[in-house]
Amino acid sequence: MSRRAADVPTLVSQARDGAPRAVARLISLVEDASPLLREVMAELAPYTGHAHIIGITGSPGVGKSTSTNALVTAFRKQGKRVGVLAVDPSSPFSGGALLGDRVRMQDHALDREVYIRSMASRGHLGGLSWATPQALRVLDAAGCDVLLVETVGVGQSEVEVVGLADTTIVLLAPGMGDGIQAAKAGILEIGDIFVVNKADREGADATVRDIRHMISLGERSDAPQWRPPVLKTVAAQMQGVDEVVAAIGEHHGWMAEHGELHRRRVARAADEIEAITLATLRARMGDLRGEHSMADLAQQVVSGAIDPYAAADRVLANMS
């Protein structure tokens, strides 16, 4: 595949034309941290920044995959091109994704205007793969109007999605204690839209009341603020999904009007730059040789010859 992928401009051109294989190869280059990755990102840069990125998060069992599938159906009815990144749990042996989300999204398997990719979390605790931001750039440049990012659903560690999305949807379900769990996990602070799925179950109205009450307790700023709606759905039957799509549109409009959309995207780019910089520094640290090698410095710290700060100074001086 490396020989076939060597012509990056051709791959990017094919992806821009909607060729699924080209999109798949570009995302594979991202996941594999290919040496061609810098060239790929440079080629994609002029075509990015247009898609509305929607993060979907929530505890396991609330129906994230079913809700994602329902949202894809609703957006396709509007004629929008949709990309889905479903971050699956990883196999502890192969590191690969379990692909459970693709199994539950077969409704769109043959639709050329929908691209679904399962990505392995590879042990990353934020609910996302480290490669997710670059993969989103590929789908954005490939002409997707809407990008849905479904997190792995790892409970109290999944709030990282807020830094990646323009709009974050928090899914809850009645009878799972999600009202209290949301407060514990910091979910209330990251949600732009709250959706109580499986609303045909007993306790749905009580969960809605709990979430609305908790949101009201946090409202204390005089600055213009988006008030997160709390909606009910039965995603498996497409009930309430149109209301969620309408709320997504309202939130996008509110962000554009108040400058929040630009602020979030600038913050996201800054985080991405920082992550790439730190990854580069870690790689250089692994290349240290001689008396300033990490192993040698660690030995000196253990023996008391130097302190950890002095060792870190030597590492930085050696890299510069």
Side-chain angles (χ1 to χ4, degrees):
M1 193 189 80
S2 59
R3 289 196 298 271
R4 295 282 301 275
D7 188 3
V8 171
T10 299
L11 271 182
V12 170
S13 176
Q14 292 173 347
R16 294 272 301 150
D17 291 337
R21 290 172 64 88
V23 175
R25 285 176 183 163
L26 288 173
I27 294 180
S28 293
L29 292 177
V30 168
E31 286 194 292
D32 296 338
S34 166
L36 296 171
L37 188 52
R38 288 178 179 269
E39 184 182 354
V40 169
M41 290 298 120
E43 289 285 336
L44 293 176
Y47 309 111
T48 59
H50 306 291
H52 184 185
I53 301 176
I54 302 167
I56 302 173
T57 190
S59 303
V62 297
K64 290 191 296 296
S65 296
T66 304
S67 296
T68 300
N69 185 70
L71 286 172
V72 172
T73 299
F75 282 122
R76 288 296 297 127
K77 286 181 180 178
Q78 296 180 354
K80 293 184 177 180
R81 193 174 188 185
V82 184
V84 179
L85 283 185
V87 184
D88 275 347
S90 300
S91 163
F93 302 103
S94 68
L98 299 179
L99 305 182
D101 299 284
R102 285 190 185 181
V103 172
R104 291 185 289 270
M105 294 185 201
Q106 287 302 305
D107 294 352
H108 308 287
L110 301 179
D111 189 342
R112 288 185 60 86
E113 297 301 306
V114 177
Y115 185 89
I116 301 173
R117 175 80 173 220
S118 291
M119 298 180 69
S121 61
R122 301 188 181 183
H124 192 77
L125 292 180
L128 299 170
S129 165
W130 68 271
T132 306
Q134 286 78 33
L136 286 172
R137 286 183 179 275
V138 173
L139 293 174
D140 188 358
C144 290
D145 302 299
V146 176
L147 297 176
L148 301 174
V149 185
E150 181 194 331
T151 70
V152 71
V154 290
Q156 296 184 26
S157 301
E158 63 196 351
V159 295
E160 189 179 280
V161 69
V162 71
L164 194 68
D166 299 323
T167 300
T168 301
I169 299 175
V170 175
L171 284 176
L172 309 106
M176 297 181 66
D178 273 353
I180 302 300
Q181 186 67 16
K184 273 178 57 181
I187 294 291
L188 293 178
E189 285 77 12
I190 72 165
D192 297 306
I193 300 169
F194 291 88
V195 175
V196 177
N197 189 34
K198 304 181 181 180
D200 51 348
R201 292 184 177 179
E202 184 179 354
D205 291 335
T207 303
V208 170
R209 285 195 303 270
D210 288 346
I211 295 300
R212 284 177 177 164
H213 176 64
M214 292 180 187
I215 292 172
S216 67
L217 294 177
E219 295 175 350
R220 56 184 180 274
S221 174
D222 294 331
Q225 281 190 314
W226 167 257
R227 183 178 175 85
V230 184
L231 307 172
K232 294 193 296 183
T233 63
V234 183
Q237 301 175 22
M238 290 296 292
Q239 295 178 16
V241 176
D242 289 340
E243 287 79 0
V244 176
V245 171
I248 292 170
E250 290 173 9
H251 181 246
H252 189 272
W254 183 91
M255 287 192 300
E257 180 182 350
H258 292 86
E260 178 68 10
L261 183 61
H262 179 70
R263 188 199 67 77
R264 291 191 181 193
R265 291 184 173 182
V266 169
R268 185 158 70 234
D271 289 342
E272 192 173 354
I273 293 168
E274 180 181 345
I276 293 170
T277 303
L278 291 175
T280 303
L281 288 174
R282 289 192 188 98
R284 291 184 182 178
M285 286 170 62
D287 293 336
L288 291 176
R289 298 290 184 269
E291 63 174 328
H292 295 319
S293 71
M294 293 299 291
D296 183 71
L297 289 171
Q299 292 277 10
Q300 294 182 52
V301 170
V302 170
S303 68
I306 59 174
D307 64 86
Y309 287 92
D313 289 340
R314 292 187 187 183
V315 171
L316 291 173
N318 193 56
M319 286 193 295
S320 63

